């Protein structure tokens, strides 16, 4: 089915056995547990899960806000987690950017837009003159559909959608390769969401950006993502290309998430049956351990041998 | 009718100039539009009037994307709003004027003609006796004290001393408090060490430290200032630290970290501006605090020597005479100044921090 | 759907309501002349973006308008009383909780963290229904069972922090339902919850309303929620209801360009690789006077008159009306955006695997 994408895929970012633990000793809480995935150059990789699933933590661990307690992050062939040299550090700062969820909290209220947007450039591009930086800021603002004159204003003068675009401009000005978008539209008004989604896909086409798109809402993901990983309580349970995942969800949790996707059509929505995920449905016996397996090309799922056999049968029937 | 005219005028002001341009371009002056469709709401028209509206109004208007972007713009500046709000508070407005006047006068007073010296002991020119405990009169406006010094001059000299102490101590609290507090709150590796140091020092009663320093050094204004500075920064640093912990992990600071901003830069550009209102409040409270401490130290006998007038030793001298109703004026005047300065700083500081809180802005 | 209004009586009627807020000397016109009938037993959804006034409107029904807000015109008729005239807390005490109850977005704000769940529900029963403690406890256990909380005996003694977000919302609903109010207002009842919990809470509210014969008013920005629960939909924009109709009418035959825009910008209707339909700009500030149709500056199809005169309601059917000049016979015929048709198609493209 998905043979149209036989183009050679090179991973831009690889997460290998990532663990993130908060707290120490008795209070330790493992937010991310042995997570591995690859993000290919130029694609939009979705990470979907409910609150507390650790999806935001993964994004923040990649950009080094949270520390890994085990595993590593490889970016473009280089390890970027743990201790890294100054040169790599600067490369990461330039190449990986983060779009925050809440545009109301992610902009410094007391700084003008030009400071906010130029902050990264002044930090790492000492070779640029003041005028060149100004020019790039103006261009970044134009790129996100704002007017360059906005540069001399404070963030509180802008609406949520405009502020989110200022946040995107702040990323773009660095000319990054990889952008982690942490629920970039869920705090926005309905009428603004489409603007921001359009902007993101337009930028991807123009600049060949790679996105890690984190969200709790599968309906948005279907529109924007190439591949989706489903995460539950810090563990990735299924990973597949978007349509494959929507058409042939295997893991019970994925099916629950899919069943809950809101449909803006009263006929469908009122008939809809929402499933409930109960981890005990796996019914693992003592010597059974769920393993991470590629069950079909590009389709990974976590399950015990018994479950995997059942999944395989299901896939054959389609 | 007049009401409607006002409405129209208002409407015209509200309309942006570019919109006007558009209308003119279309050969449709606003005047004309208002004449044909004078009311804003279809509910104000009768059915016949609606039926009679010219079909030309039902042509597409045209659309400008940038215009749509501009709709949300509001003209707001943080500091302008802060000062506007502050100035709207009448009590604070009056007090700040009065306070500035008093402080200015305290420093101008010795330069004025016909002023007595605050330390000279005045003698009666006829008898040569000390003019002791003279009640307020036209020559000695606030009267004289027990050894015949002019109380008017002494009160202003005392105000000068106390204001200088207050300002210097508050400034030192501000500088050390902010620097240490920022490091304490933001640099996680310092947190533990500084907390321990704070715990140790703050568990020694502050008065004890003040007393110790005053004993070790000779009593003077410098001693008082040094001892107060040694203690004062702690409260400020702790306060700043708590504020920083609140703001430290807000998204916008994480964003700055991801963009490679140094700690110093984040502190100066992100954290300090966020906390400026609370810092101002703390500092403005530190001034009357230091003045009060000086009064207290003098009261327990560790203050500035009586040779140099300060509000502390004036109040202390007055306190001794408090029970004698004819001499009570010696307490009333300095006490009034202390009270005024304390209350004024307190109210002004609070008014300012209210005004600086963006939640109170439109 | 023509007979939607048959045998329906109006339970709450808002007539030309206008609400202003004063903010540091400026006046904000939050509700600009809203008229709305709520029918007994129906479930009405008020849809709008933040700042559209949907919450402000319903806060008037239970007297919880912020202190700087005033009703300067209009009436709210309920059981022969005009709620807009209510001044004192005493008057409201007869309505709030007993006749009209509200479920807020964040369950934690409406629960007292220091009291047990059982105490909080029985308190409402004792105060509003005059029960004694033993009766209240028995009734509370019943209600807890009703809202789907297992082991009510054990849960009765627990504190809010021992509950998960979804469970807390169930408790809030239990408190609201405890006094069997006539009208239940749900202000974004599921926004703070996970998607899988959302659907459970919605079906719980629906079941309870059927069981107790309550009228429900939902306030939401989520069209998925609306599709799930609403019999009738009112679309709000900039303090005004721009379109109102039955769920069927508003979803499949919307007339107002704002409703079009709202529906067609849904990512569910997008095709991968194509641009989503999007509304330009942002909602207007409600300070000062808005002339004409508030949506005009963002509406590519706006007519000249949209900038001049606020449109009246045009009736499309007895239940469906919209405030747009596009429905005037003199206006050019403008078709709704193409992608709205995909809304209907959503019925067919659901994943095959899911049905078993």
């Amino acid at each position: 089915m998905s043979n149209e994408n036989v183009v050679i895929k090179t991973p831009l970012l690889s997460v290998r056995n990532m663990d993130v633990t908060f707290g120490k000793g008795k209070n330790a809480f493992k937010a991310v547990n042995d997570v591995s995935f690859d993000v290919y150059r130029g694609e939009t990789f979705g990470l979907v899960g409910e609150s507390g699933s650790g999806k935001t933590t993964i994004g923040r661990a990649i950009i080094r806000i949270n520390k890994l307690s085990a595993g590593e992050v490889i970016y473009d062939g280089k390890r970027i987690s743990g201790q890294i040299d100054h040169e790599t550090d600067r490369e990461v700062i330039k190449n990986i950017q983060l779009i925050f969820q809440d545009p109301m909290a992610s902009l410094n209220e007391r700084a003008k837009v030009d400071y906010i947007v130029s902050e990264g450039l002044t930090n790492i591009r000492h070779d640029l003159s003041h005028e060149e930086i100004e020019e790039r800021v103006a261009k970044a603002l134009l790129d996100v559909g704002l007017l360059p004159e906005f540069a001399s204003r404070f963030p509180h003068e802008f609406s949520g959608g405009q502020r989110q675009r200022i946040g995107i401009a702040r990323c773009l000005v660095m000319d990054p390769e990889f952008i982690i978008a942490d629920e970039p539209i869920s705090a926005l008004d309905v009428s603004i969401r489409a603007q921001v989604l359009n902007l993101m896909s337009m930028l991807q086409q123009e600049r060949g950006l790679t996105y890690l798109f984190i969200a709790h809402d599968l309906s948005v993901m279907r529109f924007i993502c190439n591949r989706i990983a489903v995460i539950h309580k810090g563990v990735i349970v299924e990973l597949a290309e978007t349509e494959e995942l929507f058409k042939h969800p295997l893991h019970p949790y994925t099916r629950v998430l899919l069943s809950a996707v809101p449909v803006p059509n009263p006929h469908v929505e009122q008939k809809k049956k929402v499933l409930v995920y109960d981890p005990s449905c796996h019914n693992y016996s003592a010597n059974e351990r769920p393993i991470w397996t590629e069950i079909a090309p590009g389709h990974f799922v976590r399950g015990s041998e018994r479950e995997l056999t059942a999944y395989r049968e299901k896939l054959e029937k389609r | 009718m007049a009401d409607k005219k006002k409405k129209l005028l208002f409407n015209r002001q509200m309309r942006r100039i570019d919109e006007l341009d558009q209308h003119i371009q279309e050969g449709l002056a606003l005047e004309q539009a208002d004449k044909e469709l004078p009311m804003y709401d279809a509910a104000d028209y009768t059915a016949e009037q609606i039926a009679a509206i010219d079909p030309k109004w039902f042509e597409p208007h045209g659309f400008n994307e940038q215009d749509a972007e501009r709709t949300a713009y509001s003209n707001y500046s943080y500091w302008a709003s802060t000062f506007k709000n502050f100035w709207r508070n009448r009590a604070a407005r009056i007090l700040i004027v009065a306070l500035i006047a008093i402080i200015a006068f305290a420093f101008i007073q010795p330069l004025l003609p016909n002023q007595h010296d605050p330390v000279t002991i005045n003698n009666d020119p006829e008898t040569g006796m000390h003019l002791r405990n003279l009640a307020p009169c036209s020559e000695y406006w606030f009267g004289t004290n027990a050894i015949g010094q002019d109380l008017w001059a002494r009160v202003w000299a005392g105000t000068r001393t106390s204001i200088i102490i207050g300002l210097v101590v508050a400034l030192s609290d501000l500088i050390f408090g902010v620097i240490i507090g920022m490091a304490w709150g933001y640099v996680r590796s310092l947190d533990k060490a500084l907390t321990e140091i704070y715990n140790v020092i703050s568990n020694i009663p502050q008065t004890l430290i003040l007393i110790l320093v005053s004993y070790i050094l000779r009593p003077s204004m410098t001693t008082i200032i040094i001892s107060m500075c040694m203690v004062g920064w702690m409260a400020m640093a702790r306060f700043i630290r708590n504020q920083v912990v609140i703001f430290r992990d807000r998204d916008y600071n994480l964003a700055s970290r991801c963009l490679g901003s140094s700690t110093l830069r984040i502190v100066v550009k992100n954290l300090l501006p966020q906390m400026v209102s609370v810092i101002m409040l703390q500092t403005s409270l530190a001034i009357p605090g230091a003045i009060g401490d000086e009064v207290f130290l003098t009261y327990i006998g560790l203050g500035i020597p009586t040779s140099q007038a300060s509000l502390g030793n004036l109040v202390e001298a007055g306190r001794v005479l408090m029970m004698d109703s004819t001499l009570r004026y010696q307490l009333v005047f300095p006490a009034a100044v202390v009270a005024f300065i304390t209350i004024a700083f307190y109210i002004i500081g609070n008014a300012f921090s209210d005004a600086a809180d963006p939640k109170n802005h439109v | 759907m023509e007979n939607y209004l048959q045998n329906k009586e109006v339970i709450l009627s808002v007539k030309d309501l206008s609400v202003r807020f004063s903010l540091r000397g400026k006046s904000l016109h939050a509700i600009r002349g809203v008229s709305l009938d709520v029918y007994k037993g129906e479930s009405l959804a008020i849809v709008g973006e933040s700042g559209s006034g949907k919450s402000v409107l319903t806060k008037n029904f239970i007297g919880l308008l912020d202190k700087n807000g005033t009703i300067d015109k209009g009436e709210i008729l309920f059981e022969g009383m005009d709620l807009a005239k209510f001044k004192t807390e005493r008057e409201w005490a007869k309505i709030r909780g007993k006749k009209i109850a509200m479920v807020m977005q964040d369950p934690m704000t409406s629960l007292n963290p220091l009291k047990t769940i059982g105490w909080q529900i029985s308190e409402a029963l004792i105060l509003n229904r005059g029960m004694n403690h033993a009766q209240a406890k028995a009734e509370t256990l019943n209600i807890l069972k009703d809202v789907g909380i297992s082991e009510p005996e054990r849960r009765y003694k627990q504190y809010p922090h021992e509950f998960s977000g979804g469970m807390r919302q169930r408790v809030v609903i239990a408190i609201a339902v405890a006094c069997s109010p006539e009208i239940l207002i749900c202000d974004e009842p599921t926004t703070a919850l996970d998607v899988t919990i959302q659907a459970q809470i919605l079906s719980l509210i629906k079941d309870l309303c059927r069981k107790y014969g309550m009228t429900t008013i939902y306030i939401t920005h989520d069209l998925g929620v609306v599709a799930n629960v609403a019999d009738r939909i009112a679309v709000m924009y900039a303090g005004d209801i721009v379109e109102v109709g039955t769920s069927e009418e508003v979803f499949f035959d919307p007339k107002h360009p704002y409703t079009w825009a709202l529906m067609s910008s849904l990512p569910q209707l997008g095709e991968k690789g194509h641009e989503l339909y999007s509304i330009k700009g942002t909602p207007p500030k409600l300070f000062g006077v808005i002339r004409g149709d508030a949506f005009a500056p963002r509406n590519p199809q706006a007519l000249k008159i949209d900038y001049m005169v606020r449109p009246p309601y045009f009736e499309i059917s007895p239940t469906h009306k919209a405030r747009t000049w596009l429905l005037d016979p003199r206006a050019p015929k403008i078709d709704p955006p193409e992608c709205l048709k995909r809304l209907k198609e959503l019925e067919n493209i659901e994943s095959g695997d899911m049905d078993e």
Side-chain angles (χ1 to χ4, degrees):
Chain A
M1 276 293 279
S2 50
N3 286 351
E4 52 192 14
N5 306 358
V6 212
V7 196
I8 308 148
K9 292 187 254 178
T10 46
L12 179 64
L13 180 104
S14 305
V15 173
R16 292 273 156 269
N17 310 95
M18 176 195 276
D19 277 8
V20 180
T21 312
F22 292 120
K24 275 188 190 128
K26 256 190 197 165
N27 299 323
F29 165 69
K30 211 168 195 179
V32 177
N33 190 352
D34 195 23
V35 161
S36 305
F37 59 86
D38 289 332
V39 181
Y40 299 121
R41 203 177 272 279
E43 77 167 344
T44 302
F45 184 87
L47 200 53
V48 68
E50 295 182 279
S51 58
S53 61
K55 57 190 192 300
T56 297
T57 312
I58 293 177
R60 295 192 167 189
I62 293 172
I63 203 159
R64 302 173 305 161
I65 293 174
N66 293 331
K67 279 204 171 59
L68 272 66
S69 50
E72 55 183 4
V73 181
I74 314 273
Y75 180 80
D76 210 4
K78 265 189 215 151
R79 183 176 59 87
I80 59 164
S81 55
Q83 288 291 344
I84 52 173
D85 59 65
H86 187 65
E87 200 43 49
T88 324
D89 183 52
R90 279 180 49 141
E91 262 172 51
V92 175
I93 290 171
K94 188 204 156 286
N95 286 331
I96 306 184
Q97 293 299 322
L98 179 61
I99 300 174
F100 288 85
Q101 171 175 6
D102 183 2
M104 290 305 168
S106 61
L107 303 181
N108 183 357
E109 291 284 340
R110 302 293 156 77
K112 287 187 175 167
V113 170
D114 61 350
Y115 175 81
I116 295 173
V117 176
S118 67
E119 189 170 355
L121 279 185
T122 38
N123 283 333
I124 62 158
R125 294 294 304 267
H126 302 294
D127 53 316
L128 293 178
S129 74
H130 190 66
E131 286 73 34
E132 280 172 305
I133 287 184
E134 227 166 67
E135 214 171 273
R136 290 189 184 204
V137 169
K139 184 165 176 307
L141 287 176
L142 272 175
D143 284 347
V144 298
L146 296 172
L147 311 174
E149 71 207 50
F150 288 175
S152 58
R153 295 183 187 164
F154 287 97
H156 47 236
E157 294 174 17
F158 299 100
S159 63
Q162 288 174 319
R163 291 174 68 126
Q164 193 60 299
R165 284 184 281 159
I166 294 174
I168 296 176
R170 164 170 71 186
C171 299
L172 286 184
V173 83
M174 305 288 277
D175 200 12
E177 297 173 332
F178 183 67
I179 292 183
I180 301 167
D182 187 1
E183 306 231 21
I185 59 163
S186 56
L188 301 180
D189 266 327
V190 195
S191 77
I192 309 294
R193 292 182 177 180
Q195 286 177 17
V196 173
L197 285 181
N198 280 343
L199 175 66
M200 286 182 62
S201 30
M202 188 198 76
L203 291 169
Q204 182 168 42
Q205 278 161 23
E206 279 176 8
R207 306 176 176 220
L209 294 174
T210 308
Y211 288 125
L212 174 63
F213 193 96
I214 300 170
H216 67 275
D217 184 354
L218 271 167
S219 58
V220 178
M221 298 213 135
R222 187 173 204 167
F223 174 72
I224 199 161
C225 296
N226 302 97
R227 293 189 306 143
I228 296 177
V230 180
I231 180 165
H232 179 248
K233 298 237 163 95
V235 179
I236 294 189
V237 296
E238 190 161 3
L239 191 165
E241 282 181 18
T242 305
E243 284 313 306
E244 168 82 5
L245 189 84
F246 270 81
K247 293 208 174 94
H248 310 289
L250 294 176
H251 197 276
Y253 182 67
T254 313
R255 300 163 63 82
V256 168
L257 272 189
L258 277 174
S259 77
V261 168
V263 187
N265 177 323
H267 298 162
V268 183
E269 184 72 19
Q270 287 176 7
K271 276 190 306 205
K272 169 174 107 170
K273 263 211 208 81
V274 176
L275 310 172
V276 180
Y277 179 60
D278 180 2
S280 65
C281 73
H282 294 292
N283 216 354
Y284 294 134
S285 58
N287 50 4
E288 254 181 330
R289 273 189 60 234
I291 40 167
W292 184 238
T293 317
E294 183 164 15
I295 196 152
H299 191 158
F300 296 81
V301 68
R302 191 180 160 86
S304 64
E305 275 311 326
R306 177 171 49 87
E307 285 173 318
L308 292 174
T309 323
Y311 294 158
R312 274 193 200 99
E313 274 169 22
K314 198 185 262 170
L315 282 178
E316 264 151 35
K317 263 194 271 167
R318 73 188 174 194
Chain B
M1 205 54 210
D3 203 356
K4 197 161 283 170
K5 237 180 202 167
K6 233 188 249 165
K7 232 167 147 190
L8 289 179
L9 254 163
F10 180 62
N11 162 47
R12 215 157 295 153
Q13 284 163 353
M14 295 290 295
R15 203 174 296 263
R16 289 189 311 277
I17 294 172
D18 45 349
E19 243 174 58
L20 254 170
D21 280 349
Q22 218 172 340
H23 279 285
I24 291 164
Q25 277 171 15
E26 290 163 10
L28 233 159
L30 199 55
E31 309 275 333
Q32 170 93 28
D34 281 343
K35 217 175 283 166
E36 281 185 37
L37 300 165
M39 286 165 289
Y40 303 169
D41 195 336
D44 297 336
Y45 293 81
T46 62
E48 291 84 52
Q49 278 173 322
I50 289 185
I53 292 175
D54 196 315
K56 76 176 179 202
W57 288 105
F58 290 88
E59 287 160 18
H61 178 276
F63 181 65
N64 178 350
E65 226 173 87
Q66 293 206 328
D67 244 23
E69 207 60 71
R70 280 201 181 92
T71 44
Y73 175 58
S74 82
N75 190 8
Y76 167 90
S77 132
Y78 174 74
W79 286 108
S81 288
T82 300
F83 286 117
K84 221 161 101 197
N85 278 351
F86 179 77
W87 210 239
R88 220 176 260 149
N89 185 332
R90 211 169 55 176
R93 202 166 56 204
I94 295 169
L95 281 172
I96 200 163
V97 171
L99 190 66
I100 290 173
I102 284 190
I103 294 173
F105 186 77
F107 286 89
I108 295 168
Q109 184 263 339
L111 309 173
L112 297 176
N114 297 331
Q115 298 292 327
H116 294 273
D117 185 77
V119 287
T120 314
I121 295 166
N122 296 295
N123 295 333
D124 190 323
E126 286 165 23
T127 60
M129 299 272 285
H130 293 348
L131 284 171
R132 295 172 53 187
N133 293 337
L134 202 62
C137 61
S138 62
E139 179 67 22
Y140 303 101
W141 291 355
F142 283 3
T144 60
N145 67 4
I147 54 170
Q149 289 164 322
D150 177 25
L151 210 54
W152 166 260
R154 283 188 72 77
V155 165
W156 290 114
T159 309
R160 271 198 301 281
T161 317
S162 291
I163 291 282
I164 290 171
I165 293 175
L167 287 178
V168 172
V169 172
L171 196 70
S172 120
D173 284 4
L174 176 70
I175 294 170
F176 291 105
V178 168
I179 292 175
I180 296 172
M182 285 287 175
W184 189 359
Y186 196 80
V187 186
R188 275 157 218 250
S189 49
L190 287 178
D191 186 38
K192 221 167 183 170
L194 278 168
T195 308
E196 287 308 317
I197 294 174
Y198 174 83
N199 284 342
V200 170
I201 302 182
S202 68
N203 273 316
I204 307 170
Q206 302 217 342
T207 335
L208 212 65
I209 300 176
L210 287 176
I211 293 170
L212 268 175
V213 176
S214 307
Y215 264 126
I216 296 165
L217 301 173
R218 290 161 55 83
S220 74
M221 193 163 114
T222 331
T223 309
I224 282 243
I225 290 178
I226 290 175
S227 61
M228 284 191 209
C229 290
M230 283 179 66
V231 188
W233 64 269
M234 280 194 306
M236 181 69 111
R238 193 187 140 83
F239 177 79
I240 299 279
R241 184 241 171 206
N242 290 344
Q243 292 285 313
V244 172
V245 170
I246 294 172
F247 288 113
R248 172 175 78 184
D249 288 332
R250 294 272 163 97
D251 279 358
Y252 68 94
N253 292 322
L254 295 182
S256 289
R257 264 168 64 191
C258 294
L259 291 167
S261 291
S262 63
T263 303
L264 182 67
R265 193 173 173 140
I266 291 175
V267 165
V268 172
K269 286 288 195 175
N270 295 13
L271 293 173
L272 265 184
Q274 195 73 43
M275 289 156 46
V276 76
S277 67
V278 284
I279 292 176
M280 294 275 269
L281 174 66
Q282 288 293 307
T283 314
S284 68
L285 294 182
I287 299 173
I291 294 173
D293 280 354
E294 188 265 331
V295 174
F296 169 73
L297 281 179
T298 313
Y299 174 74
I300 58 173
L302 294 168
I304 296 173
T306 34
S307 57
Q308 186 178 12
S310 77
L311 289 175
N313 52 34
L314 287 173
V315 168
E316 168 61 10
R319 186 191 62 85
V320 181
L321 306 168
M322 191 166 60
M323 288 306 145
D324 186 341
S325 63
T326 57
L327 299 178
R328 211 166 273 163
Y329 65 92
Q330 293 193 20
L331 173 66
V332 168
F333 292 120
V337 176
V338 174
F340 174 77
I341 292 179
T342 313
I343 293 171
F345 270 112
Y346 184 74
I347 292 177
I348 292 169
N350 269 318
F352 184 82
S353 89
D354 276 354
D357 187 346
K359 276 188 224 110
N360 296 330
H361 296 179
V362 177
Chain C
M1 275 293 156
E2 274 83 43
N3 50 13
Y4 181 84
L5 295 177
Q6 244 172 28
N7 304 326
K8 286 259 179 5
E9 58 173 302
V10 174
I11 183 167
L12 180 100
S13 175
V14 183
K15 294 217 158 71
D16 198 21
L17 188 74
S18 162
V19 175
R20 282 177 191 279
F21 286 92
S22 66
L23 277 170
R24 297 254 160 182
K26 279 194 209 167
S27 155
L28 185 147
H29 205 168
I31 302 291
R32 305 184 302 129
V34 163
S35 300
L36 179 69
D37 286 335
V38 182
Y39 298 99
K40 195 169 170 58
E42 76 169 346
S43 127
L44 169 75
I46 302 177
V47 193
E49 299 175 73
S50 58
S52 61
K54 54 191 195 302
S55 280
V56 176
L57 177 64
T58 46
K59 275 182 182 168
N60 285 303
F61 303 164
I62 47 169
L64 286 181
L65 203 59
D66 291 346
K67 280 200 187 69
N68 59 344
T70 45
I71 299 179
D72 59 18
K73 213 173 66 183
E75 40 193 33
I76 304 165
L77 302 174
F78 176 72
E79 295 192 340
M81 293 172 284
D82 182 2
L83 303 185
K85 299 248 156 31
F86 277 24
K87 292 269 169 351
T88 58
E89 280 300 303
R90 254 194 118 155
E91 287 170 295
W92 279 115
K94 283 180 287 180
I95 301 289
R96 198 185 295 150
K98 287 184 195 163
K99 302 273 187 184
I100 304 178
M102 193 157 184
V103 174
M104 303 277 190
Q105 173 176 350
D106 181 4
M108 221 37 198
T109 56
S110 22
L111 293 175
N112 182 344
L114 302 177
K115 296 278 201 264
T116 63
I117 294 302
W119 189 90
Q120 298 190 44
I121 302 176
S122 28
E123 176 77 1
L125 290 171
I126 293 165
L127 275 179
N128 293 330
R129 278 168 59 182
M131 292 185 172
N132 65 31
H133 281 272
Q135 286 170 326
K137 176 158 187 189
E139 182 65 21
T140 302
L141 292 177
N142 270 337
I143 294 170
L144 281 177
K145 227 175 282 159
D146 265 0
V147 296
I149 290 176
S150 51
E151 300 179 75
E153 287 282 352
R154 187 171 63 87
R155 292 298 206 169
Y156 184 90
K157 294 190 202 85
Q158 287 185 333
Y159 290 88
H161 69 262
E162 296 174 75
F163 286 63
S164 68
M167 280 296 165
R168 274 182 215 145
Q169 195 61 297
R170 283 173 194 266
V171 174
V172 174
I173 292 169
I175 294 175
V177 175
C179 305
S180 44
E182 301 279 323
I183 300 178
L184 182 68
I185 301 170
C186 303
D187 189 349
E188 306 266 7
T190 59
T191 310
L193 305 174
D194 278 326
V195 266
T196 49
I197 313 286
Q198 264 183 26
Q200 296 169 15
I201 296 291
L202 289 182
S203 67
L204 169 69
I205 298 178
K206 278 199 288 189
D207 289 348
L208 287 174
C209 288
R210 223 166 286 143
K211 185 168 172 190
Y212 293 95
M214 286 183 293
T215 309
T216 22
I217 301 175
Y218 291 89
I219 304 166
T220 181
H221 65 272
D222 186 336
L223 287 167
V225 172
V226 176
N228 190 321
V229 299
D231 300 329
R232 223 151 57 85
I233 300 171
V235 182
M236 280 194 85
Y237 185 75
D240 190 14
I241 292 181
V242 293
E243 179 158 7
V244 57
T246 62
S247 171
E248 199 76 10
E249 286 165 338
V250 174
F251 268 103
F252 300 117
D253 188 23
K255 294 294 185 195
H256 197 281
Y258 176 65
T259 319
W260 294 348
L262 204 59
M263 304 245 175
S264 29
S265 58
L266 285 167
Q268 284 96 328
L269 302 188
E271 283 171 275
K272 218 179 210 156
H274 295 275
E275 210 174 304
L276 282 173
Y277 184 96
S278 75
I279 319 178
K280 302 292 179 291
T282 23
K285 293 252 150 84
L286 296 175
F287 294 107
V289 177
I290 291 179
R291 185 162 195 187
D293 185 348
F295 186 58
R298 299 174 72 190
N299 178 11
Q301 284 111 14
L303 308 177
K304 283 176 181 164
I305 194 165
D306 280 323
Y307 284 83
M308 306 304 297
V309 181
R310 182 195 199 182
Y313 282 117
F314 289 90
E315 233 176 61
I316 301 120
S317 80
T319 48
H320 189 190
K321 54 184 183 171
R323 215 190 243 288
T324 168
W325 284 114
L326 287 182
L327 294 171
D328 191 276
R330 282 158 290 185
K333 178 116 186 59
I334 293 173
D335 288 321
E338 270 303 294
C339 54
L340 276 186
K341 294 193 184 119
R342 289 176 53 88
L343 205 65
K344 198 98 193 163
E345 291 164 23
L346 281 180
E347 285 164 38
N348 312 325
I349 60 165
E350 276 323 287
S351 27
D353 251 23
M354 296 300 297
D355 299 331
E356 45 181 308

